[in-house]
Amino acid sequence: QVQLVESGGGLVQAGGSLRLSCSASARTFSFYTMGWFRQAPGKEREFVAAISSSGGATDYAEAVKGRFTISRDNAKNTVYLQINSLKPEDTAVYYCAAKTGGTTTWNRLDAYDYWGQGTQVTVSS
């Protein structure tokens, strides 16, 4: 069982930045591929970014490439999402998730085994 706790969300003006963190309880955190997803009001949850267990490979949704950066610190059992140049359309609840099985299908919601409760990001124009 893996418990995930997100933090770092908040209200920010367009053009601003935030760094989201996700702390994991698992002793075997370094075995998990980690992902970030988001869900805007009235919309389905969507893939944002993912990182391999070692941190050596990453993937991003087209809408966030060049603005978002995913990273991890396996010594701290934490994955991060640096969000720059925020836009109002980035407003959503952001969730981190963990999966086994490597990077295959790492951009699919149904591939993930564990989810956090989410952290709200609100971007004002």
Side-chain angles (χ1 to χ4, degrees), residues 74-91:
N74 285 344
K76 296 183 178 179
N77 280 17
T78 303
V79 61
Y80 305 97
L81 186 69
Q82 178 68 40
I83 309 175
N84 298 328
S85 302
L86 277 158
K87 304 176 181 180
E89 52 263 43
D90 294 319
T91 295

Side-chain angles (χ1 to χ4, degrees), residues 26-40:
R27 293 182 180 180
T28 55
F29 175 75
S30 62
F31 292 173
Y32 289 89
T33 294
M34 300 298 295
W36 283 97
F37 293 78
R38 67 185 180 184
Q39 187 165 17

Side-chain angles (χ1 to χ4, degrees), residues 72-119:
R72 67 189 296 162
D73 185 339
N74 285 344
K76 296 183 178 179
N77 280 17
T78 303
V79 61
Y80 305 97
L81 186 69
Q82 178 68 40
I83 309 175
N84 298 328
S85 302
L86 277 158
K87 304 176 181 180
E89 52 263 43
D90 294 319
T91 295
V93 178
Y94 284 71
Y95 299 89
C96 72
K99 67 180 292 294
T100 56
T103 58
T104 302
T105 65
W106 59 353
N107 61 345
R108 289 181 51 172
L109 276 73
D110 61 358
Y112 286 79
D113 304 297
Y114 304 100
W115 292 83
Q117 293 300 306
T119 185

Side-chain angles (χ1 to χ4, degrees), residues 49-81:
I51 188 166
S52 63
S53 58
S54 68
T58 58
D59 189 28
Y60 296 92
E62 285 297 325
V64 307
K65 280 184 179 178
R67 298 189 299 122
F68 290 20
T69 302
I70 188 171
S71 62
R72 67 189 296 162
D73 185 339
N74 285 344
K76 296 183 178 179
N77 280 17
T78 303
V79 61
Y80 305 97
L81 186 69

Side-chain angles (χ1 to χ4, degrees), residues 8-12 18 20 83 86 90-94 119-123:
L11 173 63
V12 63
L18 284 173
L20 307 183
I83 309 175
L86 277 158
D90 294 319
T91 295
V93 178
Y94 284 71
T119 185
Q120 176 72 47
V121 172
T122 303
V123 184

